[in-house]
Amino acid sequence: MKETPISTIERNFVTQAVKHNLRLDGRKNDEFRKITINFGADWGSALVALGETKVLAQVSCELGVPKATRPNEGIIHINVELGQMAAPHFESGRNSELNVQICRTLERTFKDSRCVDLESLCVTTEERVWMLRIDLNVLNHEGNLIDCCSVAALSALLHFKRPDVSIIDNDVHIHSPAEKEPIPMVLHHYPVCASYCLFDDGRLAIADPSVLEERVADSALVFGLNSFRELCCLNLGGTTLTSSNLLLQCATRAARRAKFVVDYVKEVLELDKLAREEDRNSGFTECVRLNKITALAENRLSLRLRNFKLQGTDDLKDETAMETSGDEEVESEEEDGTEKPQKIVSIDSKSAILESNQSNIKWVPDDDGVESNIESICSENVTEEGDESERSLSQQIEKQMQKHSKKESKRALSKKHLHDDAGSDSEEEAKVIL
Amino acid sequence: MVTQTENVSIDPRGDFSSEDLKLRPINCELNPLTRSDASALFTQGDTCVLTSMLGPVEVKSQNLNIEKAHVECIYRPKAGIPTIEDKLRENVIRDTCESALLTVLHPRTTISIQIQELDNRCGIEACAINGACLALLIGGVPMKFTIAAVHCIVDKDDKVVLDPDHCKAIGKRASFIFVFDSLEKNLVTVHTSGRFRMAQFNDAECMSRAASQIIFNFYRRIISNFHNKSLLTADTKVRNTEAETVVKSEPMDV
């Protein structure tokens, strides 16, 4: 099947709305969707949902021969699968441009940043090493696959345990989990990706784009960062080259986001570990039983009122999650019902309290949101963080940009004008930093 | 969508004690995905699959059939590239679903079924067929009948075990998958592997046929809940809860 084209009206609507700091799903410009992680029964399997985008990651390993150039290091292979399940226009078994792009960005984030201790994967030098394979099966494509994939890969890597081996008479014996406790992975730092889309000739950036925003945007900006605010990968795609100022602002925000995500991953892993220690059932079956997987569907709210935000009352949610009777239907099935609030209780000049038809959801006036919505991303100050980390991050970006422009210059002459643009931009940026 | 653990309530044959006719708890969640036409997350015990369907949609020219719809099935293992075993599963599922679908109603189209393995703890094929059937039911493609797959093994003590978990299945001598239709309870598919005696096969078939009713009851309840709910979503909450109680108090007939 072919991908449905976007009409000009749709395109104009989205770009105009973004200029007014409005997004179709009611998020703020720098707001990411909610992220949820579920672990499977096997070691190293994780189902990550970023809003409605869903990715299943599975890490597996086998013994193999190391590369001749690096005889004492293990090998990591990352594979991204975009099947028809993700979106009707994808075809399984064929490497699309998107597939290659995601794969390469993840390779740069995880392999080139050397976050996995490859030497610990060595069994015997030059003969046998562990070959890790990270399979990322995209289940649902609702925009920003790269972020979702990176979080899935990271949580699966952290969850994975490889079997222990012992060498008896030059023969490698792999122990089953019952014989010897499997060994967890060693990671030096935890990188994740955060992406932005640029609109309005590169003057506006929005975080965590949806499918429509991704397709309409002028260019995409992907940062691979770890929780120490170190840049692992930077990818600039599309037509517009951004101003350095916006780039730095986005980088600072992305670094904050990376820290948040990594902390969340650690928290969830800890919970999973506790559950396994107490010998409670774990795995996807348990998540379905506790209504965890649809609970993350967030009631399929595709439109949100500007000055209101949805607030689920937590205690009620827990109650419904524990119930396992048949009448607990999937909230996601109700498409129109939940989106329309039932009645307006009071109307102010700026706000009103709305009651939704679901007991566990309340509409509450979004007080702080009103101001920040008006504020443009460009006019905001970014000097909230410490100066030193700021500078180090900007230097890293500068390096990446220069590397990028060097690469550009090596390319064919036909692209020379492009290179000039890139070159001048990085120079300009250097001035700003100095 | 969360449902109760389903146990067989009536024993249709005298030869089996009710303990024999016990399937692992079945659970499912409908439409967890947004991009496909219909999807279902189906779990049976600790085995878990995600199925989605598309169709009837545009067909590739090499698959075009002017008399009926082309049915395709894609099975994705959790790790690694699909193996020969996975391809075999794919074919079994495709043929089974094709026999249940009224493909003549949609000539020159494709109906495509995608299956993603989430947790494999024995009986993944049966789980995948049941999940695919649910996805096809919500997807609204016309079907002759619904299908229910039951997994059975001959264990190491030469005993026939219905729907075992992975601990019981260690050292199994043979495994069967029986698929039945909902109308006459006729066999739609049989897939066997290993060595067994004919008597064991007959035993396994009888047990599976009786147990398939549990799955058909489950379908009925899930689908009626699903459609009742979606009809009433625009209505007030009061009516919604009223309808719920009606659904709940409905007696379960076997």
Side-chain angles (χ1 to χ4, degrees):
Chain A
M1 270 182 66
K2 289 191 185 76
E3 194 177 9
T4 341
I6 310 176
S7 64
T8 320
I9 296 173
E10 250 177 314
R11 190 180 292 274
N12 290 344
F13 180 76
V14 173
T15 41
Q16 289 295 321
V18 166
K19 277 181 197 166
H20 289 96
N21 292 314
L22 284 171
R23 293 173 74 175
L24 270 180
D25 46 12
R27 282 182 286 155
K28 287 176 224 158
N29 278 349
D30 58 343
E31 192 181 336
F32 284 80
R33 284 170 291 182
K34 196 184 160 210
I35 197 156
T36 324
I37 304 167
N38 286 311
F39 291 108
D42 300 325
W43 292 119
S45 84
L47 178 65
V48 175
L50 180 70
E52 287 288 351
T53 303
K54 285 179 186 149
V55 174
L56 173 78
Q58 171 73 55
V59 179
S60 49
C61 66
E62 58 178 16
L63 284 174
V65 183
K67 283 178 191 159
T69 47
R70 295 193 180 275
N72 59 346
E73 283 184 5
I75 297 166
I76 297 181
H77 179 72
I78 299 175
N79 178 41
V80 180
E81 185 69 29
L82 294 168
Q84 270 201 322
M85 193 183 261
H89 64 270
F90 290 144
E91 264 181 64
S92 48
R94 196 174 292 179
N95 264 3
S96 62
E97 201 181 325
L98 181 68
N99 197 327
V100 174
Q101 195 203 333
I102 294 173
C103 231
R104 191 64 204 118
T105 316
L106 288 178
E107 271 176 9
R108 274 157 64 193
T109 318
F110 286 94
K111 277 167 82 176
D112 300 356
S113 75
R114 305 192 66 78
C115 74
V116 182
D117 185 13
L118 291 176
E119 284 179 18
S120 72
L121 296 175
C122 179
V123 180
T124 46
T125 313
E126 286 179 357
E127 278 170 15
R128 280 202 182 84
V129 292
W130 283 112
M131 293 167 79
L132 283 189
R133 186 186 163 95
I134 309 173
D135 278 283
L136 295 156
N137 281 299
V138 180
L139 305 177
N140 204 30
H141 175 29
E142 286 285 357
N144 205 359
L145 279 179
I146 191 98
D147 281 25
C148 200
C149 284
S150 74
V151 179
L154 178 72
S155 30
L157 265 178
L158 286 170
H159 190 248
F160 182 65
K161 291 188 176 182
R162 68 183 160 84
D164 205 351
V165 290
S166 51
I167 302 162
I168 307 157
D169 302 334
N170 272 338
D171 210 32
V172 179
H173 180 69
I174 303 174
H175 296 286
S176 72
E179 286 170 5
K180 261 188 179 177
E181 193 66 13
I183 308 164
M185 297 291 299
V186 184
L187 263 75
H188 297 308
H189 60 93
Y190 304 154
V192 285
C193 293
S195 21
Y196 289 84
C197 263
L198 302 179
F199 282 89
D200 197 14
D201 296 327
R203 277 192 286 275
L204 273 172
I206 55 164
D208 190 12
S210 66
V211 179
L212 193 61
E213 285 162 347
E214 247 173 21
R215 290 176 68 187
V216 167
D218 298 330
S219 56
L221 192 55
V222 182
F223 296 96
L225 290 145
N226 63 19
S227 49
F228 308 120
R229 304 170 60 83
E230 286 166 341
L231 197 70
C232 304
C233 143
L234 174 66
N235 190 26
L236 249 170
T239 49
T240 335
L241 276 163
T242 46
S243 70
S244 57
N245 208 7
L246 184 66
L247 194 74
L248 286 177
Q249 274 183 11
C250 287
T252 326
R253 278 157 203 277
R256 221 175 299 154
R257 166 76 183 171
K259 176 123 183 42
F260 169 79
V261 172
V262 170
D263 286 346
Y264 179 67
V265 171
K266 281 183 193 163
E267 194 187 307
V268 182
L269 273 165
E270 202 58 42
L271 284 176
D272 182 73
K273 200 178 147 199
L274 273 177
R276 274 168 207 267
E277 272 170 11
E278 286 171 27
D279 225 16
R280 262 184 282 153
N281 276 344
S282 46
F284 297 123
T285 310
E286 196 61 9
C287 303
V288 177
R289 204 176 68 74
L290 297 175
N291 220 350
K292 262 184 176 164
I293 290 179
T294 24
L296 55 92
E298 285 261 294
N299 307 314
R300 294 278 149 84
L301 193 71
S302 58
L303 281 170
R304 201 154 39 149
L305 300 180
R306 188 180 180 187
N307 292 345
F308 296 84
K309 64 179 175 191
L310 248 180
Q311 196 187 50
T313 39
D314 288 333
D315 43 348
L316 266 166
K317 250 186 186 169
D318 285 348
E319 244 178 70
T320 51
M322 291 309 285
E323 272 180 81
T324 46
S325 54
D327 58 330
E328 271 306 313
E329 292 279 348
V330 211
E331 276 114 344
S332 50
E333 256 58 83
E334 310 161 13
E335 271 161 11
D336 295 337
T338 43
E339 284 163 20
K340 284 168 196 156
Q342 282 300 299
K343 55 179 178 183
I344 301 165
V345 173
S346 65
I347 301 176
D348 216 318
S349 56
K350 258 189 171 178
S351 65
I353 298 165
L354 303 172
E355 265 186 16
S356 79
N357 55 358
Q358 272 192 320
S359 59
N360 58 343
I361 294 164
K362 253 199 250 163
W363 292 90
V364 289
D366 188 7
D367 294 322
D368 45 355
V370 181
E371 292 135 44
S372 55
N373 261 343
I374 297 160
E375 247 176 343
S376 148
I377 191 167
C378 295
S379 62
E380 270 181 56
N381 274 325
V382 266
T383 47
E384 296 154 35
E385 307 281 328
D387 272 348
E388 279 177 34
S389 57
E390 192 85 351
R391 207 168 294 154
S392 67
L393 194 64
S394 62
Q395 277 164 358
Q396 287 174 38
I397 291 174
E398 189 193 349
K399 264 186 210 164
Q400 289 260 350
M401 288 289 283
Q402 279 170 352
K403 226 194 265 174
H404 177 73
S405 58
K406 268 178 206 162
K407 268 187 198 165
E408 286 278 280
S409 63
K410 279 175 195 164
R411 284 187 192 162
L413 283 167
S414 60
K415 284 193 177 170
K416 207 181 173 186
H417 60 284
L418 257 177
H419 144 69
D420 286 339
D421 273 1
S424 64
D425 205 65
S426 60
E427 273 166 28
E428 187 188 293
E429 192 194 9
K431 272 179 214 161
V432 171
I433 289 156
L434 289 170
Chain B
M1 172 160 321
V2 173
T3 51
Q4 290 156 314
T5 310
E6 198 122 357
N7 289 325
V8 74
S9 39
I10 297 169
D11 197 3
R13 265 158 219 270
D15 353 338
F16 304 112
S17 64
S18 60
E19 268 184 26
D20 285 336
L21 283 178
K22 212 168 190 178
L23 294 181
R24 292 178 291 173
I26 307 170
N27 268 326
C28 95
E29 222 172 86
L30 299 181
N31 277 344
L33 307 180
T34 51
R35 292 299 292 268
S36 45
D37 288 345
S39 53
L41 186 63
F42 194 87
T43 72
Q44 220 170 328
D46 286 334
T47 305
C48 186
V49 290
L50 181 64
T51 53
S52 75
M53 64 82 65
L54 272 178
V57 288
E58 178 191 330
V59 65
K60 268 189 237 155
S61 55
Q62 72 259 35
N63 297 329
L64 187 130
N65 192 334
I66 53 164
E67 288 186 332
K68 55 180 189 173
H70 171 251
V71 180
E72 67 177 10
C73 174
I74 298 158
Y75 180 93
R76 282 289 313 166
K78 202 152 68 146
I81 44 174
T83 55
I84 294 169
E85 203 188 339
D86 296 324
K87 288 280 165 200
L88 181 68
R89 275 178 194 155
E90 217 167 71
N91 277 332
V92 171
I93 298 165
R94 200 219 24 239
D95 292 346
T96 311
C97 291
E98 194 170 5
S99 62
L101 286 165
L102 275 168
T103 46
V104 280
L105 292 182
H106 299 284
R108 296 170 191 269
T109 56
T110 309
I111 296 168
S112 121
I113 302 161
Q114 293 91 38
I115 289 155
Q116 172 68 55
E117 166 192 327
L118 289 183
D119 271 334
N120 187 358
R121 290 280 188 271
C122 207
I124 188 104
E125 294 94 344
C127 199
I129 292 171
N130 293 338
C133 179
L134 259 182
L136 291 170
L137 272 175
I138 334 164
V141 279
M143 288 168 92
K144 290 176 220 156
F145 41 73
T146 54
I147 43 174
V150 183
H151 178 235
C152 239
I153 61 159
V154 175
D155 69 359
K156 54 182 185 294
D157 306 323
D158 228 16
K159 239 178 84 188
V160 180
V161 183
L162 187 73
D163 198 26
D165 55 28
H166 67 290
C167 302
K168 279 189 205 158
I170 296 167
K172 65 182 174 194
R173 297 193 175 179
S175 80
F176 315 96
I177 297 148
F178 296 102
V179 185
F180 301 95
D181 71 54
S182 56
L183 298 176
E184 306 272 315
K185 297 275 165 32
N186 284 333
L187 267 175
V188 179
T189 303
V190 186
H191 185 77
T192 62
S193 62
R195 289 174 64 170
F196 50 87
R197 288 193 306 277
M198 207 55 213
Q200 285 171 331
F201 177 86
N202 289 338
D203 271 6
E205 194 204 330
C206 286
M207 276 165 83
S208 306
R209 179 170 284 135
S212 69
Q213 190 58 46
I214 302 172
I215 298 166
F216 288 125
N217 285 345
F218 178 81
Y219 286 161
R220 187 171 289 276
R221 230 192 42 225
I222 285 288
I223 295 291
S224 71
N225 271 353
F226 176 73
H227 286 295
N228 272 322
K229 190 87 177 185
S230 51
L231 277 177
L232 290 168
T233 43
D235 273 8
T236 55
K237 207 190 153 194
V238 188
R239 262 196 71 189
N240 215 340
T241 47
E242 269 172 18
E244 282 299 333
T245 51
V246 173
V247 172
K248 255 205 283 189
S249 62
E250 221 173 32
M252 293 261 302
D253 46 339
V254 178

